[in-house]
Amino acid sequence: MASRSAFRSAAFLCASLPRGINRRSSPADRPTLITMTSNVDTSSRMVISKKACVPPREVQEQITHSMPPQKVELFNSLEDWANDNILIHLKPVEKCWQPQDFLPDPAAETFNDEIKELRERAKEITDDYFVVLVGDMITEEALPTYQTMLNTLDGIRDETGASLTSWANWTRAWTAEENRHGDLLNKYLYLTGRVDMKQIEKTIQYLIGSGMDPGTENNPYLGFIYTSFQERATFISHGNTARHAKEHGDLKLAQICGIIASDEKRHETAYTKIVEKLFEIDPDGTVLAFADMMKKKISMPAHLMFDGRDNNLFEHFSLVTQRLGVYTAKDYADILEFLVGRWKVGELTGLSGDGKKAQDFVCTLVPRIRKLEERAQVRAKPRGNMRFSWIFDRELML
Ligand SMILES: [Fe+2]
Ligand SMILES: [Fe+2]
């Protein structure tokens, strides 16, 4: 789950970068010495910067447009295929669930009673569960970033914001479906009264302002491998929060997490189908892309998370999700194993020399990751406690 991004958390000097790597998207002519908004000292005390518009987390090295331009045509030629095979995995709005289906109805006379019941149920839930649920909700709420990410991809981007290509229709409708996830979790968490909504709202604003660095390089091969992985990761994670909610006796919350997980599963089906098609048309290019993404490691969408206080918030949140078994290093290896099998990577034939090397790399990666993880667990030291602003600075074991 480690990200390859390097953050600057203090004043830094701009170094010259190799060709093909974007130096930074924001003004390259800035003074060489740059002070960041997120200059947070190690004692976690927030320092207000004068440069309020600079993202709190900046990604430094970003490779762009790595797909050869002639391959754009391949995605154009898949327009009809995507229409017939991918758009069918979307649900018509009239058949979709909406957040309101799972929340107290503000127009009903029973509203106050329903809120009371919701809050009673929430009392049985632990702080560490809430931290995980808040982190999941914040991840969902950074949806503008994910739509932007899809629209960075050459050959499939929504060129106008209302383009009628199958790819653009998919991206907008996918975004619209995903929008219900953050909305539902946000409203639910607000009603529980258990979490510090202002701190959460700040974290969302910081995160959207920072963006993300999935390492997809405007390349739809990389992009769709990334989204295949991520949709399965969120399916697993929401499925596990549903299971925990049930164990805490909150069946309604279990239902909320479960219904979100089922959307993620449907989205995973669509994205893995796209990559399956790419393997069919261009096995060499696709296996190279798969190996490339796995060498970089799949970074989590909210890896630039910041609440204005904790400089390692994402890492701390991840440690809690790991401890609760909501999303673990084992899940990372399991997802990879699933994708290797789903795309029958081991059975590819007719590959180039580099393609064969990539195939070997991907097919032998799962046992290597599992072994590394076992060793890391043996060496793991107690990590101590951490205060989370999302739960009014109460302390949790990491
Ligand atoms: Fe989602
Ligand atoms: Fe999703």
Side-chain angles (χ1 to χ4, degrees), residues 1 19-21 45 52 56 155 158 186 190 203 219 230 284 300 358:
M1 281 185 284
R19 280 183 67 201
I21 295 179
R45 194 164 41 81
D158 183 350
N186 194 324
Y190 166 78
T203 313
N219 181 330
Q230 275 309 328
D284 221 56
M300 293 294 115

Side-chain angles (χ1 to χ4, degrees), residues 243-271:
R243 183 169 52 81
H244 281 281
K246 206 171 165 190
E247 284 163 15
H248 287 302
D250 192 336
L251 298 185
K252 292 229 168 159
L253 178 57
Q255 207 186 4
I256 286 174
C257 299
I259 198 83
I260 295 174
S262 72
D263 274 6
E264 309 293 13
K265 183 78 199 158
R266 199 155 39 77
H267 296 161
E268 173 208 307
T269 305
Y271 285 122

Side-chain angles (χ1 to χ4, degrees), residues 87-97 177 263 266:
L87 299 188
I88 54 166
H89 295 290
L90 294 164
K91 263 194 180 176
V93 175
E94 295 301 330
K95 288 191 176 163
C96 274
W97 60 266
E177 286 194 1
D263 274 6
R266 199 155 39 77

Side-chain angles (χ1 to χ4, degrees), residues 260-321:
I260 295 174
S262 72
D263 274 6
E264 309 293 13
K265 183 78 199 158
R266 199 155 39 77
H267 296 161
E268 173 208 307
T269 305
Y271 285 122
T272 53
K273 216 165 158 185
I274 296 171
V275 178
E276 181 186 36
K277 188 71 179 169
L278 294 177
F279 267 113
E280 185 191 312
I281 301 172
D282 179 10
D284 221 56
T286 312
V287 78
L288 285 167
F290 194 13
D292 183 29
M293 278 315 288
M294 297 319 300
K295 275 179 193 158
K296 289 187 279 197
K297 293 180 185 158
I298 302 283
S299 62
M300 293 294 115
H303 66 112
L304 301 180
M305 190 184 268
F306 182 54
D307 62 352
R309 297 184 191 171
D310 181 0
N311 223 11
N312 296 308
L313 180 59
F314 182 75
E315 194 193 337
H316 295 145
F317 155 69
S318 299
L319 287 169
V320 182
T321 60

Side-chain angles (χ1 to χ4, degrees), residues 5-7 23 57-62 212-213 303-304:
S5 312
F7 307 130
R23 181 185 182 149
R57 289 289 182 279
E58 291 186 5
V59 176
Q60 300 307 318
E61 296 183 8
Q62 301 179 55
M212 73 189 285
D213 175 31
H303 66 112
L304 301 180

Side-chain angles (χ1 to χ4, degrees), residues 201-261:
E201 287 158 350
K202 274 169 60 178
T203 313
I204 295 168
Q205 188 172 353
Y206 273 127
L207 181 58
I208 295 174
S210 290
M212 73 189 285
D213 175 31
T216 44
E217 306 171 7
N218 310 97
N219 181 330
Y221 286 72
L222 302 178
F224 288 134
I225 289 164
Y226 181 83
T227 51
S228 296
F229 195 105
Q230 275 309 328
E231 293 290 2
R232 190 159 179 89
T234 46
F235 161 66
I236 290 170
S237 146
H238 290 306
N240 283 328
T241 51
R243 183 169 52 81
H244 281 281
K246 206 171 165 190
E247 284 163 15
H248 287 302
D250 192 336
L251 298 185
K252 292 229 168 159
L253 178 57
Q255 207 186 4
I256 286 174
C257 299
I259 198 83
I260 295 174

Side-chain angles (χ1 to χ4, degrees), residues 22 32 132 145 149 162 220 223 229 240 253 292 310 328 344 376 395:
N22 265 7
T32 320
V132 170
T145 299
M149 177 254 165
F229 195 105
N240 283 328
L253 178 57
D292 183 29
D310 181 0
T328 65
K344 301 186 174 70
E395 211 170 63

